[in-house]
Amino acid sequence: MATIKMDPITRIEGHLGIEVGVDGGNIVTDVQCQGTMFRGFELIVQNRKPRDVVVLTSRICGV
Amino acid sequence: MRISRRDFLKYCSIAAGALGLTGTDLLKLENALGVNGALPVVWLNGQACTGCTVSLANSIYYTTVQDLLVSGTIAGIDLRCMETLSGYMGDQFLPALSAIPAGPLSGAFVLAVEGAIPTANHNYCEIANTITGATIASPVTIYDAVNYYGSSSNCAAILSIGTCASYGGIPGAKGGVTGAKGVADALPALASKVVNIPGCPPNPDWIVGTIATVLADPTTFLATLASNPRSIVDNIGRPKQFWKGRQCTNCYRFDSARDFTSIPGHPNRKGRFVGAKRDYNEIGDPTMATWCLRRIGCKGPKTQSDCSSRQWHSNAPGHVGVNWCVGAGAPCQGCTQKDFPDHEGPFLDIL
C-alpha cells in the first residue's frame, strides 16, 4: 500500500495537496484533497453593506 | 503582443523545466540564458487570490510576460521559482525552493511574497509538506517559509506584492479570524528589507518597475532603504517612483468638481458630481462622463497612486493604459492604501 503525495499542486489559485493511496495492484484505494489555506470570507463580509460584499467576494479568486 | 495559450504553456514549461534539473544542469542553463548575474526572484504565495500574479502576467508597458519567463533579460528579471506558473508540481517543484538559498544555486536572491500571512494560527496557510534541505517544520507554513527565506543573508530584499502582502488587505479585514497581516507586520524582524507594492491588484508596471529598480543595484537600494528610506519609499514603504501625489492631481474629472460661480471669466456653474441627486443609477451615465465621482464614494482625494496618469491595460509597450477605474465611471476604492478595505469602505459612501 503506497501513498502518493502531491503537495503543492501548482498552476492553481491558492494552495492544495492531494494524497492518493494505492494498493499492491496499482488500484487507487483512497484519495484525500487537502485545502491548505483559509481566509474566512463568510466572516469578513458580515455587518457590511451589500454593495461592498460584491467588491470583497470578488477577491476570493483573482484569476 | 498576444500569445496563444499553447505558446504560453510552452514558455512556462521551458522556464519550469529548469526547475527540475540538477544543480549542475541549472548552472549550465543559467549561463546559456545569459542572465548576466541578475538576481533570481523567488515568489511565494500566502493567503492570496492570485490576482497579483494575473496582473503581472498582463504586463505590457515595460516587458511582456513572454520576455519575463523565457529570456529573463528584460531589466535582469529572472523569475526563477513561482508556484502558479511552474510546469512541475509537488516533489518535482520543491527542489526549486530547496536549492535557494543554500545549494548549487546559493547566492543572492530577491523574495517576492503575494498574499497575507496569518498570525492567529500559522496553519491557516501551508505551502508544502516538507522542503528538503530547508530546516522548516513540517508542514511548511507561509509564516515559516517567509521567515526562513527572508532572514537568510542571501535574501537581498523582500517585495510585498499587493495590498494583502503589504498591509493584510482583505483577508486581514475586520471580521476575519486568521489574523492576516502584511509581511512587515507579521515578521517585524524582516521589516527593514521589505518594500511594499500595494494595490488590489497592483498595476503590473508597479511590480515590474520596482523589481527592475531593486535588481539594477540591490546593494545600493538596500543601503538607501536603511539609511535614507524617505528618498525612495514613502512613510508606509511604497516606492516613490509610483506613489507620489493623490489621484485627483492628474484626474481628468477634477475640473468638473470645481465651483466656478464666483470666479469671473469662467463658466457660471457649480461643481458637477455624479450621484449628486443620490441616485446610484447615474453611475455610468454617458452625459456625466467627465463629472467628478466624489459623491458616489471616490476615494481618489486620499489615495496616492498614479492610476490617473498611467492608467490600466496598456496595449503596447510604452503606451499609456486604455482605461482606469474612474475613467470607466467607477469610484476609486483606495486599494493601495494601508487601511484597505476597512477604512476605504463602504465603497459607495462619500469620503
Side-chain angles (χ1 to χ4, degrees):
Chain A
M1 168 82 176
T3 311
I4 305 172
K5 268 190 193 170
M6 286 174 281
D7 194 352
I9 304 287
T10 56
R11 297 194 302 286
I12 55 168
E13 190 291 300
H15 303 274
L16 184 70
I18 297 195
E19 232 176 274
V20 180
V22 182
D23 73 6
N26 276 348
I27 305 288
V28 172
T29 52
D30 187 38
V31 178
Q32 284 192 3
C33 282
Q34 295 150 350
T36 46
M37 186 243 290
F38 174 79
R39 287 169 291 173
F41 274 86
E42 297 92 338
L43 302 164
I44 291 170
V45 298
Q46 289 178 15
N47 299 316
R48 293 182 191 262
K49 295 199 170 178
R51 285 195 172 95
D52 284 3
V53 174
V54 172
V55 171
L56 295 173
T57 51
S58 71
R59 269 73 170 186
I60 290 177
C61 177
V63 176
Chain B
M1 62 170 289
R2 295 178 63 88
I3 18 176
S4 69
R5 180 177 177 274
R6 183 166 302 207
D7 282 341
F8 180 80
L9 288 175
K10 190 174 71 181
Y11 300 144
C12 284
S13 57
I14 292 173
L19 303 181
L21 297 173
T22 63
T24 335
D25 293 341
L26 265 161
L27 279 172
K28 286 188 203 156
L29 186 69
E30 187 175 294
N31 292 335
L33 284 177
V35 182
N36 292 332
L39 293 186
V41 176
V42 175
W43 190 291
L44 292 179
N45 284 33
Q47 290 173 304
C49 76
T50 318
C52 301
T53 301
V54 174
S55 186
L56 174 67
N58 283 312
S59 169
I60 296 275
Y61 186 89
Y62 285 133
T63 173
T64 63
V65 69
Q66 174 191 8
D67 290 330
L68 241 140
L69 289 178
V70 179
S71 66
T73 54
I74 301 296
I77 297 177
D78 172 13
L79 207 57
R80 185 66 64 82
C81 174
M82 193 176 186
E83 195 178 309
T84 316
L85 298 177
S86 167
Y88 288 98
M89 71 161 95
D91 286 341
Q92 292 169 320
F93 165 77
L94 290 173
L97 280 175
S98 52
I100 298 165
L105 285 181
S106 69
F109 66 95
V110 169
L111 180 66
V113 182
E114 174 185 359
I117 298 179
T119 55
N121 185 333
H122 298 165
N123 290 96
Y124 276 130
C125 185
E126 296 164 8
I127 64 169
N129 208 15
T130 52
I131 300 177
T132 326
T135 46
I136 314 178
S138 166
V140 179
T141 63
I142 185 66
Y143 182 94
D144 290 334
V146 174
N147 200 14
Y148 179 78
Y149 290 108
S151 49
S152 156
S153 54
N154 278 333
C155 176
I158 301 176
L159 306 175
S160 295
I161 315 277
T163 308
C164 293
S166 302
Y167 312 118
I170 290 182
K174 195 166 58 166
V177 299
T178 59
K181 291 188 179 169
V183 175
D185 296 324
L187 296 156
L190 306 176
S192 55
K193 284 193 207 175
V194 172
V195 177
N196 294 322
I197 310 172
C200 192
N203 194 315
D205 300 348
W206 304 339
I207 305 175
V208 173
T210 308
I211 295 181
T213 310
V214 172
L215 293 183
D217 193 349
T219 333
T220 312
F221 185 86
L222 221 73
T224 320
L225 202 62
S227 59
N228 189 11
R230 282 304 149 267
S231 60
I232 41 173
V233 295
D234 68 7
N235 61 331
I236 50 175
R238 305 177 294 190
K240 279 190 164 167
Q241 186 183 0
F242 302 108
W243 277 270
K244 296 172 280 213
R246 60 186 196 148
Q247 298 275 32
C248 300
T249 313
N250 286 312
C251 180
Y252 70 93
R253 295 180 184 240
F254 184 64
D255 264 346
S256 305
R258 297 170 65 191
D259 182 351
F260 285 121
T261 46
S262 55
I263 304 176
H266 283 264
N268 185 22
R269 64 160 177 84
K270 288 182 174 259
R272 296 201 196 129
F273 299 95
V274 175
K277 302 192 188 73
R278 306 296 172 98
D279 181 5
Y280 284 140
N281 288 323
E282 286 179 19
I283 299 178
D285 190 333
T287 60
M288 305 175 189
T290 58
W291 294 15
C292 176
L293 300 179
R294 211 194 140 115
R295 295 276 167 84
I296 54 167
C298 184
K299 304 300 182 297
K302 71 163 185 143
T303 303
Q304 293 91 25
S305 53
D306 59 4
C307 301
S308 48
S309 48
R310 180 179 299 275
Q311 301 186 20
W312 286 74
H313 303 303
S314 163
N315 54 10
H319 208 266
V320 77
V322 299
N323 209 343
W324 59 304
C325 298
V326 170
C332 171
Q333 296 172 354
C335 69
T336 61
Q337 300 302 97
K338 188 175 166 74
D339 43 23
F340 177 79
D342 283 334
H343 291 284
E344 308 303 315
F347 297 113
L348 290 180
D349 277 15
I350 299 172
L351 180 60

